[in-house]
Each structure stands twice: as C-alpha cells, then as structure tokens.
Coordinates of all heavy atoms in Angstrom, one line a residue:
G1 N 100.3 105.8 118.9 CA 99.1 106.2 118.3 C 98.4 105.0 117.7 O 98.8 103.9 117.9
I2 N 97.4 105.3 116.9 CA 96.6 104.2 116.3 C 96.9 104.2 114.8 O 97.0 105.3 114.2 CB 95.1 104.5 116.5 CG1 94.7 104.6 118.0 CG2 94.3 103.4 115.8 CD1 94.9 103.3 118.8
I3 N 97.2 103.0 114.3 CA 97.5 102.9 112.9 C 96.5 101.9 112.3 O 95.9 101.2 113.0 CB 99.0 102.4 112.6 CG1 99.2 101.1 113.3 CG2 100.0 103.4 113.0 CD1 100.6 100.5 113.0
V4 N 96.4 101.9 111.0 CA 95.5 101.0 110.3 C 96.4 100.0 109.5 O 97.3 100.4 108.8 CB 94.6 101.7 109.3 CG1 93.7 100.7 108.5 CG2 93.7 102.7 110.0
V5 N 96.2 98.7 109.8 CA 96.9 97.6 109.1 C 96.0 96.7 108.4 O 94.8 96.5 108.7 CB 97.8 96.8 110.1 CG1 98.8 97.7 110.8 CG2 97.0 96.2 111.2
A6 N 96.6 96.0 107.4 CA 95.8 95.0 106.7 C 96.2 93.6 107.3 O 97.4 93.3 107.3 CB 96.2 95.0 105.2
A7 N 95.3 92.9 107.8 CA 95.5 91.6 108.4 C 95.0 90.5 107.4 O 93.9 90.5 107.0 CB 94.7 91.5 109.7
L8 N 96.0 89.6 107.0 CA 95.7 88.6 106.0 C 96.0 87.2 106.6 O 96.9 87.0 107.4 CB 96.5 88.9 104.8 CG 96.3 90.2 104.1 CD1 97.4 90.3 103.0 CD2 95.0 90.2 103.4
V9 N 95.2 86.3 106.2 CA 95.4 84.9 106.5 C 95.3 84.0 105.2 O 94.6 84.4 104.3 CB 94.4 84.3 107.5 CG1 94.5 84.9 108.8 CG2 93.0 84.4 107.0
R10 N 96.1 83.0 105.1 CA 96.1 82.0 104.0 C 95.6 80.7 104.6 O 96.2 80.2 105.6 CB 97.4 81.9 103.4 CG 97.5 80.9 102.3 CD 98.8 80.9 101.6 NE 99.0 82.2 101.1 CZ 100.1 82.6 100.5 NH1 101.1 81.8 100.3 NH2 100.3 83.9 100.1
C11 N 94.6 80.1 104.0 CA 94.0 78.9 104.5 C 93.9 77.8 103.5 O 93.9 78.1 102.3 CB 92.5 79.2 105.0 SG 92.3 80.4 106.2
A12 N 93.9 76.6 103.9 CA 93.6 75.5 103.1 C 92.2 75.6 102.5 O 91.4 76.3 103.1 CB 93.8 74.1 103.8
A13 N 91.9 74.9 101.5 CA 90.6 75.0 100.8 C 89.4 74.7 101.8 O 88.3 75.2 101.7 CB 90.5 74.1 99.6
D14 N 89.7 73.8 102.7 CA 88.6 73.4 103.7 C 88.5 74.4 104.9 O 87.7 74.2 105.7 CB 88.8 72.0 104.2 CG 90.2 71.8 104.9 OD1 90.9 72.8 105.1 OD2 90.5 70.7 105.2
L15 N 89.4 75.4 104.9 CA 89.4 76.5 105.9 C 89.7 75.9 107.3 O 89.5 76.6 108.3 CB 88.1 77.3 106.0 CG 87.7 78.0 104.7 CD1 86.4 78.7 104.9 CD2 88.7 78.9 104.2
L16 N 90.3 74.7 107.4 CA 90.6 74.2 108.7 C 92.0 74.6 109.2 O 92.3 74.7 110.4 CB 90.5 72.6 108.7 CG 89.1 72.1 108.6 CD1 89.1 70.6 108.5 CD2 88.2 72.6 109.7
L17 N 92.9 74.7 108.3 CA 94.3 75.1 108.6 C 94.6 76.5 108.0 O 94.5 76.7 106.8 CB 95.3 74.1 108.1 CG 95.1 72.7 108.6 CD1 96.1 71.7 107.9 CD2 95.4 72.7 110.1
C18 N 94.9 77.4 108.9 CA 95.1 78.8 108.4 C 96.4 79.3 109.0 O 96.8 79.0 110.1 CB 94.0 79.8 108.8 SG 92.4 79.4 108.0
D19 N 97.1 80.2 108.3 CA 98.3 80.8 108.8 C 98.2 82.3 108.5 O 97.7 82.8 107.5 CB 99.6 80.3 108.0 CG 99.9 78.9 108.4 OD1 99.8 78.5 109.5 OD2 100.2 78.1 107.4
D20 N 98.6 83.1 109.5 CA 98.7 84.5 109.4 C 99.8 84.9 108.4 O 100.9 84.3 108.4 CB 99.0 85.2 110.7 CG 97.8 85.2 111.6 OD1 96.7 85.1 111.2 OD2 98.1 85.1 112.8
L21 N 99.6 85.8 107.5 CA 100.6 86.3 106.6 C 101.3 87.5 107.2 O 100.7 88.3 107.9 CB 100.0 86.7 105.2 CG 99.3 85.5 104.5 CD1 98.6 86.0 103.3 CD2 100.4 84.5 104.1
D22 N 102.6 87.6 107.0 CA 103.3 88.7 107.5 C 102.9 90.0 106.8 O 103.2 90.2 105.6 CB 104.8 88.5 107.3 CG 105.7 89.6 107.9 OD1 105.1 90.4 108.7 OD2 106.8 89.8 107.4
T23 N 102.2 90.9 107.5 CA 101.7 92.1 106.9 C 102.2 93.3 107.7 O 101.6 94.4 107.7 CB 100.2 92.1 106.9 OG1 99.7 92.0 108.2 CG2 99.6 91.1 106.0
A24 N 103.4 93.2 108.3 CA 103.9 94.3 109.1 C 104.2 95.5 108.3 O 104.2 96.7 108.8 CB 105.2 93.8 109.8
H25 N 104.5 95.3 107.0 CA 104.8 96.5 106.2 C 103.5 97.1 105.5 O 103.6 98.1 104.9 CB 105.7 96.0 105.0 CG 105.1 94.9 104.2 ND1 105.0 93.6 104.6 CD2 104.6 95.0 102.9 CE1 104.5 92.9 103.6 NE2 104.2 93.7 102.6
L26 N 102.4 96.5 105.7 CA 101.1 97.0 105.1 C 100.4 97.9 106.1 O 99.4 97.6 106.8 CB 100.2 95.9 104.7 CG 100.8 94.9 103.7 CD1 99.8 93.8 103.4 CD2 101.1 95.7 102.4
R27 N 100.9 99.2 106.2 CA 100.3 100.2 107.1 C 99.7 101.3 106.3 O 100.2 101.6 105.2 CB 101.3 100.7 108.1 CG 101.9 99.7 109.0 CD 103.0 100.2 109.8 NE 103.6 99.1 110.5 CZ 103.9 99.2 111.8 NH1 103.7 100.3 112.5 NH2 104.4 98.1 112.4
F28 N 98.6 101.8 106.7 CA 97.9 102.8 105.9 C 97.6 104.1 106.8 O 97.5 104.0 108.0 CB 96.6 102.2 105.4 CG 96.8 101.1 104.5 CD1 96.8 99.8 105.0 CD2 97.0 101.2 103.2 CE1 97.1 98.7 104.2 CE2 97.3 100.2 102.3 CZ 97.3 98.9 102.8
A29 N 97.3 105.2 106.1 CA 97.1 106.4 106.8 C 95.7 106.4 107.4 O 95.5 107.0 108.5 CB 97.2 107.6 105.8
D30 N 94.7 105.8 106.8 CA 93.4 105.7 107.3 C 92.7 104.4 106.8 O 93.2 103.7 106.0 CB 92.5 106.9 107.0 CG 92.4 107.2 105.5 OD1 92.6 106.2 104.7 OD2 92.2 108.3 105.1
A31 N 91.5 104.1 107.4 CA 90.8 102.9 107.1 C 90.3 102.8 105.7 O 90.3 101.8 105.0 CB 89.6 102.7 108.1
E32 N 90.0 104.0 105.1 CA 89.5 104.0 103.7 C 90.6 103.7 102.8 O 90.4 102.9 101.8 CB 88.9 105.4 103.4 CG 88.3 105.5 102.1 CD 87.1 104.5 101.9 OE1 86.4 104.3 102.9 OE2 86.9 104.0 100.8

C-alpha cells in the first residue's frame, strides 16, 4: 500500500554537504 513517511536531511551550514537521516521508523497514518 501507500504509507506517509517523514524524509529528513541534515546539511552543513553552506548546504553543500547533506546526509539523509534514518527515518524508517517515522511512518504516519496520513499526510496531515
């Protein structure tokens, strides 16, 4: 099915280097 997840990134102050944060556990029932 379709699930809603929170996708997060952490970046350096200059926004040139970013890493995805592990958000596998952040699932929600709906977008709201």
Side-chain angles (χ1 to χ4, degrees):
I2 303 295
I3 58 173
V4 178
V5 296
L8 298 171
V9 294
R10 179 175 300 179
C11 301
D14 58 6
L15 301 179
L16 291 178
L17 299 173
C18 295
D19 291 317
D20 291 329
L21 296 172
D22 181 21
T23 57
H25 61 285
L26 298 176
R27 297 173 185 226
F28 300 91
D30 57 23
E32 187 59 34

